[in-house]
Amino acid sequence: MSAAITTRGLVKTFGPTRALDGLDLEVDQGVVHGFLGPNGAGKSTAIRVFLGILRATAGEARILGKDPWHDAVDLHHRLAYVPGDVELWPNLTGGEAIDVLGRLRGGLQDKRRAELIERFDLDPTKKGRTYSKGNRQKVAIIAALSSGADLFLLDEPTAGLDPLMEVVFQDVVRELKSQGKTVLLSSHILAQVERLSDTISIIRRGVIVQSGTLLQMRHLNRTHVEVRTHRPVDDLHTLPGLHDLRREHGAWVFAVDPEHLDATMSHLSGHGIDTLTSNPPTLEELMLRHYGDELSHEHLGEARRA
Amino acid sequence: MSGVLSGSGRLFRLALRRDWVRMLVWVASLGLGTAAIALTFIEIYSTAEAKQAIIVTMASPAGLAFTGPAHYLSDYNDGSILSHQLLGFTAILIGIMSVLFVVRHTRTEEEAGRAELVRANPVGRYAHLASALLLTGVANVALAALLAVLLPLTGITALTWTGSLIFGAAHVAVGLTFAGVAAVTAQLTQSSRGANGLGIAAVGGAYLLRASGDAAQSDLSWASPIGWAQQSFPYLENRWWPLALNLLAFVALSALSMALSARRDLGSGMRAPRRGRASATSMLRTPLGLTLRLHRGMLLGFAIGLGLLGMSYGPFLGDIETEFSDISFIDETLTAIGGETLIDAFLTMLMTIIAVVAGVYGVMAVLRARSEETSGRGEQVLGTLQSRTTFLANHVIVAVVGSAAIILLAAALLGVTGQPTVDQPVIGKALVAAVIHIPAMWVLIGVATALVGWAPRATVLAWALLGYAGFVGYLGRFLQLPEWAGRLSPFSWLPGYPAEELTVLPLIVLTLVAAGLIALGIVGFRRRDLDTA
Ligand SMILES: Nc1ncnc2c1ncn2[C@@H]1O[C@H](COP(=O)(O)OP(=O)(O)O)[C@@H](O)[C@H]1O
Ligand SMILES: [Mg+2]
């Protein structure tokens, strides 16, 4: 199976700003790929390069096997996009805007259009200038999803949607996946990506710092452990690979690196485990490790190897 | 690169659907206005003496600067009077129309973020440009067709079919050239405001070039696209070939704009954005400081433009004194408003035009409050402790002070560059003439403020009044409008100093009217809903 999106050393600068700084990204066909990163990490820039509306400064990108800058028009027959900030024509109604965008593609699937308007509870008779952010986003989502494209580039598509609509959106994305479509879903909302994505890339300052399946990523990261033992353990701090060790309500609480999990557990069971809760790292923690804490070089290196 | 133009047709239809009313208003008002003026001219210049008199008036540097090349005077018939006196003025309007249309469908779409949504579809890189140029071309051709049909139908024998066709074609030629100019400026600047500003500055520059060239009867007019159009001499020589220059420029500029657009990212200009300060200066933190910052570029642009205008007319003051001195026609019309010397009359007329352009700035500056409001930024600012009164008042203060400053600057430059050419002192006169115009300009600002407060969707009326004042100021004196029609322009209430005696009462009244309108507008703005989209 060929990849839907491949980039090699993609660089995009805006004057002094390096928005993409050697981006290597690989998204397989038929998957939902979460594209995760904090504000300003370069998600939108990357997606705009994939669309061929920004020209990469250096590096290479192939979208569905084509060059996004030179083959933009061809490519766009098979691709649909929802921008993070949707702006509509103030004097056109939402329904008209959907049709205008559809006609630019050479037509929409009318049944699908009607169904999506219904599901997203959009009033298509209101003028663009009177729509809220969420409603403008719905217009772009409906136009994109009624298009029959193979690849969907969705840039923080639900930032303005209420929780109810977000559920509808998740259902729709799952349907796309079941039809074998590819979805690139950018977000800084972790829960959303976690729930929908097969694979995930984390971008920071224009570089992918981690990439893989959720499982792989969890494996690469620390597990949180809260443990009570029959016999007191007082030598935990001597064990390698333990972090944030502290006592809380008579239990030991710490995080442990994946490669030291086994040894730590053996050590603990030697003292008779009474209760043990362990939590896989959430994406929140993955993010915190990469962006929240002061990053040591060692950690960055570790992440890159991933 | 495949399909760089794909989707142009569909974008054109979308543009047409959005803008057909706007287009109709432009085309109809320019077309019908021209026909109406043709009918007026034939009455004014019905006698041989009147024709002779106007020839003598126009055969001066000042007359030529305001109209067109002297060659028109060689056979001043009912047709060539029209094309000579009107084409230069209409060219400015067509130029502005074309710039606004092109920018509206290119840079504005990018700035609003809609181009991104559109271009994610199978729409070629040049499709926005192509559709905008097509739309503007259609507007211009429609105007030309209207003129070519309407003018012969007026029944004026001199307005022949051939001449009217050339006359119409000269309009398209100017329109297309500035459409091309705007296509390029839309690639250069990141904001639509900047693209419009540069485009309209180019129109002004082209007008000044031809004005200087025609006044001095030099080849300088050949450097101006408006000059080329005037060289077609409709109703006189009926030459096609100078219009080919306009067409060539259009093709070259369009090609250039497309080449430039391929070299830049969607949404950005040709230059990478500079980084700014990380935090606001203490000046910027004050509400007035923020407002001033928003207005800085526009104020500077107008100051430079009007300064150049003043400087380019100054050197002709001397010619007027010597060459106009024994013209009877001037005594009848220009001195109908009184006056001691011809320079005074000329100064009065020129100051009205400068004041109208400064009024354009004033109205734009007030309407900036409106665009801040509809963009949602106003909401953000007003969500802080800033009151609505302060918000609107700050924009109005910048408009009031800024417009006064630029008119004084233009007058000073006019006086300083004119002084060496004449015997009498003109600097002081020019400055006083400028001061006199300020209250009338403030009335325009007041009207705009009142509209922002009470009828925000109808702010176009401020432009209509301004356009009318400009029309009366530019041509009203030739047209001999009925008394009441002239009185609709606030400028007509001014004492015609230096041609007339200085009376202070109208100035006080106009200032009070302006202040009243501004206060009214602020009261309205406090009472109504904010309009955030
Ligand atoms: N057109 C532009 N001009 C200048 N800088 C830009 C432009 N677009 C994005 N940037 C900068 O590039 C970086 C990445 O931005 P973006 O891709 O929008 O991030 P994200 O979508 O992940 O929040 C930011 O530092 C942003 O300021
Ligand atoms: Mg973004």
Side-chain angles (χ1 to χ4, degrees):
Chain A
M1 186 170 57
S2 71
I5 300 174
T6 324
T7 73
R8 293 266 168 278
L10 205 59
V11 175
K12 178 67 200 178
T13 58
F14 298 104
T17 310
R18 290 180 83 80
L20 298 180
D21 198 4
L23 186 88
D24 295 318
L25 179 70
E26 182 109 16
V27 177
D28 288 334
Q29 286 198 357
V31 303
V32 177
H33 188 94
F35 192 31
L36 200 57
N39 292 329
K43 304 182 294 293
S44 301
T45 304
I47 290 177
R48 289 184 182 127
V49 171
F50 302 163
L51 280 168
I53 59 183
L54 297 185
R55 186 174 207 163
T57 312
E60 195 196 351
R62 308 294 291 178
I63 312 297
L64 300 173
K66 290 182 192 263
D67 179 321
W69 180 260
H70 288 104
D71 306 328
V73 173
D74 281 351
L75 197 52
H76 292 176
H77 284 287
R78 298 184 53 200
L79 169 163
Y81 169 54
V82 176
D85 275 314
V86 179
E87 294 299 333
L88 300 174
W89 296 276
N91 291 325
L92 263 55
T93 66
E96 286 175 322
I98 293 174
D99 290 337
V100 162
L101 292 170
R103 219 163 300 135
L104 289 171
R105 311 189 61 93
L108 288 181
Q109 303 163 339
D110 286 336
K111 243 181 71 192
R112 179 89 169 131
R113 174 188 185 276
E115 176 210 324
L116 287 167
I117 287 180
E118 169 94 37
R119 283 173 76 179
F120 278 104
D121 194 25
L122 176 79
D123 179 351
T125 61
K126 284 197 177 156
K127 297 266 172 157
R129 82 155 64 79
T130 66
Y131 277 133
S132 65
K133 175 173 165 63
N135 278 322
R136 291 199 302 270
Q137 221 151 13
K138 286 181 192 174
V139 167
I141 291 174
I142 293 169
L145 296 184
S146 329
S147 68
D150 298 322
L151 170 63
F152 293 84
L153 302 178
L154 313 179
D155 192 3
E156 312 212 16
T158 60
L161 296 188
D162 61 46
L164 218 61
M165 285 305 130
E166 195 160 337
V167 172
V168 175
F169 174 80
Q170 287 169 3
D171 289 343
V172 173
V173 171
R174 282 194 199 100
E175 288 163 24
L176 288 179
K177 194 174 121 186
S178 70
Q179 293 161 18
K181 313 277 191 185
T182 311
V183 180
L184 180 72
L185 182 63
S186 103
S187 185
H188 66 268
I189 302 164
L190 313 163
Q192 184 182 67
V193 170
E194 205 169 20
R195 219 162 293 156
L196 289 170
S197 305
D198 307 299
T199 50
I200 287 174
S201 294
I202 298 182
I203 178 175
R204 174 179 190 260
R205 296 192 184 169
V207 182
I208 300 289
V209 287
Q210 281 201 3
S211 203
T213 64
L214 209 49
L215 203 66
Q216 284 169 338
M217 286 221 205
R218 287 199 170 134
H219 193 67
L220 279 163
N221 282 277
R222 298 168 187 165
T223 303
H224 280 257
V225 176
E226 192 178 329
V227 66
R228 284 189 178 81
T229 50
H230 292 306
R231 290 177 296 284
V233 253
D234 41 21
D235 54 351
L236 276 179
H237 59 274
T238 62
L239 296 183
L242 261 60
H243 306 269
D244 306 329
L245 182 66
R246 61 192 186 275
R247 264 189 97 76
E248 262 174 30
H249 314 299
W252 284 107
V253 180
F254 56 86
V256 55
D257 288 333
E259 59 269 36
H260 296 112
L261 184 61
D262 189 44
T264 309
M265 287 303 135
S266 312
H267 183 85
L268 284 169
S269 62
H271 293 76
I273 295 176
D274 189 6
T275 61
L276 181 139
T277 47
S278 81
N279 293 309
T282 64
L283 279 172
E284 223 107 30
E285 284 155 344
L286 286 186
M287 296 282 289
L288 262 180
R289 274 194 61 199
H290 282 291
Y291 312 114
D293 310 328
E294 258 303 308
L295 265 191
S296 66
H297 285 289
E298 164 194 276
H299 283 153
L300 250 184
E302 183 185 328
R304 286 246 170 78
R305 276 195 304 280
Chain B
M1 229 183 268
S2 66
V4 286
L5 289 171
S6 326
S8 305
R10 295 194 174 108
L11 281 186
F12 168 69
R13 279 203 293 277
L14 172 63
L16 198 61
R17 176 155 147 207
R18 291 174 62 203
D19 271 2
W20 66 271
V21 175
R22 196 178 284 254
M23 224 163 98
L24 204 69
V25 170
W26 271 105
V27 169
S29 46
L30 285 174
L32 298 178
T34 303
I37 289 172
L39 291 169
T40 320
F41 272 7
I42 187 140
E43 274 177 36
I44 303 174
Y45 306 126
S46 55
T47 63
E49 299 85 71
K51 280 209 178 82
Q52 196 48 45
I54 189 70
I55 289 176
V56 178
T57 310
M58 288 305 164
S60 64
L64 295 175
F66 274 115
T67 52
H71 180 63
Y72 279 93
L73 301 173
S74 65
D75 174 14
Y76 226 31
N77 62 49
D78 289 330
S80 53
I81 287 182
L82 184 71
S83 53
H84 187 223
Q85 297 193 15
L86 208 55
L87 188 52
F89 178 65
T90 324
I92 297 178
L93 298 180
I94 304 168
I96 291 174
M97 170 186 88
S98 298
V99 169
L100 293 180
F101 269 117
V102 168
V103 171
R104 181 173 153 79
H105 290 281
T106 53
R107 181 52 74 176
T108 306
E109 286 293 287
E110 286 185 47
E111 194 178 42
R114 290 185 290 262
E116 178 173 327
L117 197 57
V118 163
R119 279 274 297 282
N121 296 294
V123 167
R125 215 176 294 296
Y126 302 152
H128 272 107
L129 267 173
S131 68
L133 290 171
L134 191 58
L135 182 82
T136 312
V138 166
N140 278 296
V141 170
L143 173 61
L146 185 62
L147 290 175
V149 172
L150 209 54
L151 292 176
L153 292 182
T154 54
I156 302 168
T157 37
L159 301 184
T160 58
W161 289 97
T162 319
S164 302
L165 201 60
I166 294 270
F167 189 50
H171 286 71
V172 191
V174 171
L176 285 183
T177 308
F178 288 108
V181 168
V184 172
T185 64
Q187 311 308 314
L188 301 180
T189 69
Q190 194 160 8
S191 73
S192 56
R193 213 181 287 277
N196 278 328
L198 271 183
I200 291 172
V203 176
Y207 185 84
L208 285 184
L209 274 178
R210 72 129 282 279
S212 313
D214 292 342
Q217 304 204 27
S218 77
D219 287 339
L220 200 57
S221 308
W222 283 101
S224 159
I226 300 179
W228 302 336
Q230 291 186 316
Q231 291 291 333
S232 67
F233 296 116
Y235 305 114
L236 190 65
E237 306 288 341
N238 290 337
R239 293 200 292 202
W240 283 103
W241 66 262
L243 303 182
L245 293 174
N246 292 87
L247 208 60
L248 268 177
F250 166 68
V251 171
L253 288 166
S254 303
L256 176 64
S257 71
M258 291 186 182
L260 288 175
S261 81
R263 298 171 62 93
R264 67 175 182 89
D265 293 325
L266 191 73
S268 61
M270 289 314 283
R271 260 186 338 155
R274 279 174 304 170
R275 294 209 180 188
R277 293 173 199 275
S279 52
T281 58
S282 55
M283 168 79 172
L284 189 55
R285 283 173 209 218
T286 65
L288 190 58
L290 170 65
T291 315
L292 255 180
R293 170 70 170 268
L294 295 177
H295 284 263
R296 190 170 64 182
M298 199 162 70
L299 184 57
L300 258 171
F302 270 89
I304 293 171
L306 269 186
L308 286 175
L309 187 76
M311 279 161 58
S312 53
Y313 279 105
F316 296 122
L317 291 182
D319 298 332
I320 300 165
E321 201 172 35
T322 51
E323 296 183 32
F324 274 42
S325 41
D326 57 356
I327 297 170
S328 58
F329 179 75
I330 280 292
D331 293 327
E332 284 164 25
T333 57
L334 286 185
T335 54
I337 46 176
E340 310 166 37
T341 70
L342 293 161
I343 290 186
D344 291 353
F346 181 72
L347 272 182
T348 307
M349 188 162 132
L350 190 60
M351 278 327 292
T352 303
I353 287 162
I354 289 178
V356 168
V357 181
V360 171
Y361 166 75
V363 170
M364 275 173 82
V366 173
L367 295 187
R368 185 70 199 251
R370 171 77 185 150
S371 64
E372 285 296 298
E373 178 192 350
T374 51
S375 74
R377 287 186 294 265
E379 189 178 29
Q380 226 165 41
V381 170
L382 288 170
T384 66
L385 285 180
Q386 191 177 124
S387 74
R388 290 191 179 203
T389 307
T390 320
F391 173 78
L392 184 55
N394 278 337
H395 286 280
V396 175
I397 288 171
V398 175
V400 162
V401 177
S403 60
I406 56 184
I407 192 176
L408 286 172
L409 175 77
L413 288 171
L414 175 70
V416 169
T417 52
Q419 188 62 72
T421 67
V422 294
D423 301 330
Q424 51 176 310
V426 289
I427 300 179
K429 266 188 187 167
L431 283 174
V432 175
V435 169
I436 287 169
H437 280 85
I438 289 173
M441 217 171 48
W442 285 346
V443 170
L444 290 172
I445 290 174
V447 169
T449 312
L451 286 168
V452 167
W454 292 94
R457 304 254 153 150
T459 45
V460 68
L461 289 178
W463 290 118
L465 178 61
L466 188 68
Y468 185 74
F471 170 72
V472 173
Y474 191 91
L475 286 173
R477 290 168 220 266
F478 296 129
L479 289 185
Q480 299 176 348
L481 289 168
E483 167 91 6
W484 64 268
R487 287 293 178 203
L488 286 178
S489 160
F491 294 102
S492 65
W493 295 90
L494 300 174
Y497 179 88
E500 246 177 78
E501 211 154 302
L502 187 56
T503 48
V504 180
L505 186 64
L507 302 184
I508 294 173
V509 173
L510 283 173
T511 308
L512 288 177
V513 168
L517 284 168
I518 288 171
L520 186 72
I522 289 176
V523 169
F525 188 66
R526 289 173 61 95
R527 291 166 53 108
R528 72 172 168 85
D529 288 342
L530 272 198
D531 207 349
T532 48

